[in-house]
Amino acid sequence: MDTKGLEAVALSIRSLSMDAIQKANSGHPGLPLGAAEIAATLYGQIMKHNPKDSAWVDRDRFVLSAGHGSMLLYSILHIAGYKVSLDDVKSFRQVGSNCPGHPEVGVTDGVEATSGPLGQGIAVAVGMAVAESMLAARFNTPKHTIVDHYTYTLVGEGCLEEGVSSEASSLAGNLHLGKLIAFYDENKISIDGSTDITFTDDVQKRYESYGWQVLRGSMYNIGEIIDLVETAKRETNKPSLIILKSVIGKGAPKEGTADVHGAPLGEEGCVEAKKKLGLPADKTFYVVPEAYKYFEERNKELAKAEENWKQTFDAWSKENPELAKKWDAYWNHKQTAEVPAPSYKVGDSLATRAASGNSLNCMADRFEWLVGGSADLQAPNKTKVKKDDGTYSPANRKGRTIEYGIREFAMSQVMSGINLHGGLRAFGATFLVFSDYLRGSLRVAALSNIPNIYIFTHDSIYVGEDGPTHQPIETLAALRVIPNVQVLRPGDAEESQVAWEMALESTNHPVCMAFTRQNLTVYEKDDKDWQKTARRGAYIVKNGGDAPDITVFATGSEVNMALEAAKLVPGKKIRVVSVLDKNLFESQDEAFQKSICGGAKRTVVAEAGVRFGWEGYAKKEDLFTINRFGESGPANKVAADLGFTAAKLAELLAK
């Protein structure tokens, strides 16, 4: 094929990238200069997309895992006709810019995922490929195919050095995700110099061992790239890694060296690069006219492709009205069935993790688009969806239960990919203490406003015999300090159902739910409208009168403890408050907060974790918390050894 138009696009990507980075005096020119051809070829020839409708549900997805090379993406989005203006490009890395330092979903038209922390992008791409295969299995019919697209990602050495890429790539191979295609920009350079300093893996053998097809070629042969992608597509049983040999900073005076990775070329360097590349040296932010012209013609074809899809979709809808109704429910997260909530009575005793399992199955029945699984802890986490379509696998793409294996970080990013793709809502589960393994992903999900649902069980020292390595102490506080993350710790089975309902109602933030291993008693609630009140973060479980002497703020298992302790302190009016969501409660108006506290002269906090974050509620001596690591032993004996019992709390209340 004639590749002159695509070559003009690649040249223009280099032009815009070096000038935007130079103007900002900040950025990473190495990747955009070295890998311009892959962006030009993907958007200009390979991918099914429509710049005039970046939300087309059957578009191909592209994730720039090597997010430091963001000007590569912004440049091609501008040239291709997305809502990225030349002025946007000129304001690269400035406050309020549509072209931030690393790609951010929801900020820039055409950006599919927030990337930058290396390795996380390829894991998101795995999730997108999972979502595509799930939806295709559910909605395609013998006569009409309405879900049929690929997920592409560009990775560098840094991505492949980060452990999350190994977790995700291993999972992708195991799941035979044949519509996932990754390009490896093999330039052998990182910030500190040659990657040989630290990275001598045989990447081909590594990915073949994961179960991937591995292909090789040159970054600078557009025709070869197109052929390699066609070869990748013919392998439907394996994801494909296409290794493209490249030169970092191609065309720059210091091309092929670490110096060009993460610093502007300098004004003289830009001039020299432009001369070498055949660009006008006296012009900035120059786009070769043929590049714009190429996409003027190409976009007509792309718009026609979407129009053809819409016609197919309309025909499918008419012939499959029930499926069409379900499609609408999936994409708009509407309820698919009326299912009553689990019911409990006062005095019932069960772990909130078990109650969560009941609620999960309730929600899975209500919302058919809810999918997910556990990091090899399905039984302890109680995440088995009983009335489902089985386990998701190469043989069963309709499966709703995902076996993630011991891959917490990848699990979280795959969840993000599924949710970003659209049409499904994903949850994932592990022990609360292992949230540290996925914290980097949770932070990016919060930044990206992705409504991931995290089920964290075994939430305190009452894990017992597993000992301090498995007993979370600082973990709840650590989760609560991440902006835009909702942390729910229900105190009994009934509250667990409300927590699940709140999680499903969330649309723009991750939700973390912390559940117990040990049994808790379902308690009577003095607030008869407690389910509504709890949605404001906290409610009154035991009133203790209109003017209580003490108000105890408790979370999770400590609500039961506080109720028991209150019985041991006769003669004092004690109010017990369940704080389902500490941050949410603190965001409420002062009048509501005062109504919950009840004007008590003294407040006490009870939580099986560090005091951090509770200091504003009570005096230091009234913070009944745990500020050291735990011990190994039976749960009750560990609690007694730490002085964390209802009797000890009662002693504090009696003072």
Side-chain angles (χ1 to χ4, degrees):
M1 63 171 291
D2 186 358
T3 61
K4 290 182 180 179
L6 294 175
E7 290 166 2
V9 173
L11 187 59
S12 300
I13 290 171
R14 292 188 168 95
S15 172
L16 293 178
S17 295
M18 73 172 84
D19 284 340
I21 292 166
Q22 182 60 35
K23 185 174 186 294
N25 196 30
S26 175
H28 298 75
L31 187 145
L33 291 174
E37 278 76 10
I38 191 62
T41 308
L42 274 174
Y43 282 83
Q45 184 63 35
I46 293 170
M47 283 173 51
K48 178 174 68 173
H49 66 116
N50 183 1
K52 303 307 177 186
D53 181 11
S54 60
W56 175 20
V57 297
D58 199 40
R59 69 190 181 278
D60 288 342
R61 270 69 167 175
F62 172 70
V63 178
L64 180 64
S65 187
H68 56 275
S70 55
M71 268 313 306
L72 174 84
L73 185 52
Y74 301 146
S75 295
I76 187 59
L77 290 174
H78 166 70
I79 297 167
Y82 285 82
K83 295 174 185 175
V84 179
S85 69
L86 197 57
D87 284 339
D88 290 331
V89 172
K90 291 178 180 179
S91 65
F92 174 59
R93 287 196 164 211
Q94 304 309 299
V95 174
S97 171
N98 287 335
C99 296
H102 290 79
E104 294 181 35
V105 67
V107 174
T108 312
D109 187 44
V111 169
E112 299 283 6
T114 299
S115 59
L118 293 177
Q120 293 197 38
I122 188 173
V124 165
V126 172
M128 291 179 173
V130 167
E132 191 276 344
S133 66
M134 284 183 163
L135 292 168
R138 285 162 173 74
F139 292 105
N140 289 342
T141 63
K143 191 173 180 180
H144 296 105
T145 299
I146 60 168
V147 181
D148 182 17
H149 52 268
Y150 287 81
T151 303
Y152 300 94
T153 183
L154 178 62
V155 305
E157 279 92 356
C159 293
L160 300 189
E161 288 181 51
E162 289 287 359
V164 65
S165 67
S166 298
E167 292 181 27
S169 298
S170 172
L171 180 63
N174 178 266
L175 293 175
H176 298 189
L177 297 176
K179 297 178 86 169
L180 172 64
I181 299 175
F183 301 94
Y184 169 30
D185 175 27
E186 188 186 42
N187 58 49
K188 298 287 188 179
I189 294 293
S190 62
I191 292 175
D192 286 344
S194 168
T195 55
D196 289 342
I197 300 170
T198 58
F199 186 60
T200 53
D201 295 17
D202 187 324
V203 172
Q204 178 168 342
K205 288 182 179 178
R206 175 175 151 190
Y207 270 78
E208 286 173 345
S209 75
Y210 291 150
W212 288 54
Q213 172 182 235
V214 181
L215 306 169
R216 285 186 173 274
S218 168
M219 182 69 77
Y220 309 116
N221 187 328
I222 289 174
E224 183 180 39
I225 291 173
I226 294 170
D227 289 342
L228 288 169
V229 171
E230 289 303 311
T231 300
K233 288 182 176 182
R234 285 193 290 271
E235 174 52 81
T236 60
N237 202 40
K238 295 179 180 180
S240 293
L241 179 72
I242 300 177
I243 300 174
L244 297 174
K245 185 66 178 175
S246 69
V247 177
I248 192 169
K250 184 174 175 60
K254 296 182 179 180
E255 67 176 11
T257 71
D259 291 339
V260 80
H261 168 81
L265 303 184
E267 291 184 6
E268 291 184 5
C270 287
V271 169
E272 290 184 45
K274 289 173 183 179
K275 288 179 179 179
K276 185 173 181 178
L277 293 168
L279 289 162
D282 59 340
K283 294 183 179 180
T284 58
F285 297 98
Y286 177 76
V287 176
V288 181
E290 288 79 7
Y292 283 139
K293 184 177 180 181
Y294 179 87
F295 272 102
E296 285 178 9
E297 296 303 315
R298 177 62 176 160
N299 286 349
K300 295 175 185 177
E301 300 172 5
L302 296 173
K304 180 62 175 174
E306 182 176 2
E307 183 59 35
N308 291 341
W309 177 85
K310 287 180 178 178
Q311 292 176 8
T312 300
F313 182 85
D314 289 343
W316 169 85
S317 298
K318 289 177 182 178
E319 290 194 15
N320 305 279
E322 289 304 311
L323 266 184
K325 183 179 178 181
K326 188 179 292 187
W327 173 275
D328 180 64
Y330 271 55
W331 284 93
N332 294 288
H333 288 174
K334 297 178 182 177
Q335 190 164 309
T336 54
E338 293 285 344
V339 179
S343 62
Y344 306 96
K345 63 182 183 296
V346 173
D348 285 348
S349 179
L350 68 162
T352 54
R353 63 168 173 158
S356 170
N358 296 336
S359 295
L360 168 59
N361 275 276
C362 167
M363 295 304 177
D365 286 344
R366 285 183 187 176
F367 307 106
E368 192 179 297
W369 35 261
L370 181 64
V371 302
S374 167
D376 196 51
L377 292 168
Q378 185 179 106
N381 291 153
K382 306 297 182 185
T383 53
K384 174 63 176 176
V385 180
K386 298 179 179 67
K387 296 178 181 178
D388 68 350
D389 295 307
T391 298
Y392 173 78
S393 69
N396 181 25
R397 297 303 192 193
K398 288 185 178 181
R400 294 172 67 185
T401 297
I402 302 172
E403 295 280 8
Y404 282 109
I406 308 166
R407 304 181 179 99
E408 292 88 353
F409 199 166
M411 174 182 72
S412 180
Q413 279 300 83
V414 169
M415 288 162 59
S416 291
I418 292 171
N419 289 330
L420 284 170
H421 180 279
L424 299 165
R425 183 77 177 276
F427 69 86
T430 186
F431 291 169
L432 178 60
V433 76
F434 298 141
S435 64
D436 285 339
Y437 278 139
L438 58 79
R439 185 180 177 86
S441 170
L442 174 59
R443 182 181 186 276
V444 173
L447 173 66
S448 306
N449 301 310
I450 304 172
N452 291 349
I453 296 174
Y454 297 90
I455 302 167
F456 294 137
T457 69
H458 297 61
D459 71 345
S460 72
I461 59 165
Y462 296 100
V463 171
E465 292 87 349
D466 277 337
T469 60
H470 284 54
Q471 294 169 6
I473 298 295
E474 78 292 353
T475 316
L476 284 169
L479 292 173
R480 287 178 181 137
V481 298
I482 306 175
N484 205 36
V485 171
Q486 184 168 25
V487 181
L488 303 171
R489 190 174 185 233
D492 70 359
E494 291 183 328
E495 288 185 24
S496 298
Q497 173 65 20
V498 171
W500 261 102
E501 290 173 0
M502 292 172 69
L504 266 294
E505 289 162 8
S506 69
T507 59
N508 62 357
H509 59 265
V511 178
C512 301
M513 296 182 288
F515 299 110
T516 65
R517 179 194 187 195
Q518 77 276 21
N519 287 357
L520 300 177
T521 301
V522 175
Y523 36 75
E524 186 175 357
K525 285 85 171 167
D526 283 352
D527 181 351
K528 299 310 175 186
D529 200 19
W530 71 270
Q531 295 186 44
K532 180 180 178 181
T533 313
R535 282 175 163 77
R536 299 185 69 178
Y539 76 97
I540 298 167
V541 177
K542 181 179 182 294
N543 193 36
D546 294 333
D549 298 315
I550 303 172
T551 294
V552 181
F553 289 96
T555 76
S557 53
E558 286 65 71
V559 180
N560 262 270
M561 175 190 284
L563 291 170
E564 185 180 346
K567 294 176 183 177
L568 301 176
V569 188
K572 285 196 176 183
K573 294 183 290 184
I574 299 175
R575 173 172 290 189
V576 176
V577 174
S578 175
V579 185
L580 181 60
D581 181 341
K582 177 177 177 289
N583 290 345
L584 181 59
F585 175 64
E586 291 171 0
S587 73
Q588 302 300 311
D589 60 81
E590 186 178 353
F592 176 76
Q593 293 178 8
K594 285 184 176 180
S595 72
I596 295 297
C597 187
K601 303 180 184 68
R602 181 183 171 205
T603 58
V604 172
V605 171
E607 182 170 76
V610 295
R611 71 170 66 97
F612 179 83
W614 290 107
E615 294 90 343
Y617 283 71
K619 296 178 181 178
K620 182 178 179 180
E621 57 268 24
D622 284 336
L623 296 175
F624 192 69
T625 54
I626 301 173
N627 299 290
R628 49 154 289 188
F629 292 118
E631 297 284 351
S632 180
N636 290 337
K637 291 184 178 181
V638 170
D641 184 66
L642 295 176
F644 198 77
T645 64
K648 287 294 184 181
L649 177 57
E651 289 178 14
L652 176 62
L653 297 177
K655 289 182 179 178

